[in-house]
Amino acid sequence: MSSSNTSGSSPLTFILTGIPGLPMSSYWMVLPLCCLYLFMLLGNCTVLWMIKTDHSLHTPMYYFLSMLAMADLGLSLSTLPTMLAVFWFEATSLPFEACIVQMYFIHCFSAIESGVLVAMAFDRFVAICYPLHYTSVLTSSLIMKAGVAIFTRGICVVLPVAVLIKKMPFCRSHVLSHSFCLHQDMLRLVCGDVRVNNLYGLTAVILTKGLDSLSILLSYVMIIRAILSIVSQEAQAKAFSTCISHLCAVLIFYIPLIGLSITHRFGKHLPPITHTLLADAYLLVPPVLNPLVYSWKTKQIRRRILLLLYQGGTQP
């Protein structure tokens, strides 16, 4: 068998798959999928528009929320072309280069979202533990530098993953397990030595999600200590309520991610639908739910939405 990325004169292509056991053109899949992407676009764009137009939302917490919305948009739009192509048009073939690009953007925006969640945890830590120094610590300059650092880290850490896998020979089945390209899914089709790829992939995960999850955990340990030191139970509840939205966003992001990582490494005996559903949840659930969580738990955004709905309903 040839061990190159081409077969004769034909360029290498990967075959994407839908959900095992369901026909790819089923309207039971197409309609919910389109609704999810529509809710994702509408929710995140609405959050970004509100933060931009409402000067009362020009605070550090909402600047970080706008970064989260941008990361969610990037993550969802990275999967949108192939997901709709597979389930709507039954177009399952994807060129090797396009698969590499999609894989890069998926993992890049995932790393960026993880970094934004750390920044939001730091925002809550300063707001609760050092409220008098909140505005002096979280200045516009620091927020801008943090945003640049988060996006730069995501771009640079994931780039070697794409470069390394692009040089690998693919001479086995070219059928992927999902309707989009993920690094571990592509790596299992390589017929060469993948130790370097696995080692760097693990290093990239540790440098992003690993350190980020530890930073978030440490932040909340100190936040809980500060909350428990407050004498008034009412003040304790009020302080903790400011963290609920962020905690929900962290759980929504990390639970599917951890589940997907575990099944990729230790769940080879599990049915294929388990891998598929976890990957779909990892990429689709956070961008859809994050705007809903922050709209529900954040008084300023909820108020603005209700005002817009009221104005829209009273206009002739």
Side-chain angles (χ1 to χ4, degrees), residues 111-122:
I112 289 170
E113 179 156 349
S114 180
V116 173
L117 290 173
V118 174
M120 297 176 84
F122 179 71

Side-chain angles (χ1 to χ4, degrees), residues 226-246:
I227 290 175
L228 292 178
S229 67
I230 301 173
V231 177
S232 169
Q233 290 188 348
E234 184 180 349
Q236 285 182 350
K238 186 177 180 181
F240 184 72
S241 68
T242 64
C243 301
I244 291 178
S245 298
H246 179 254

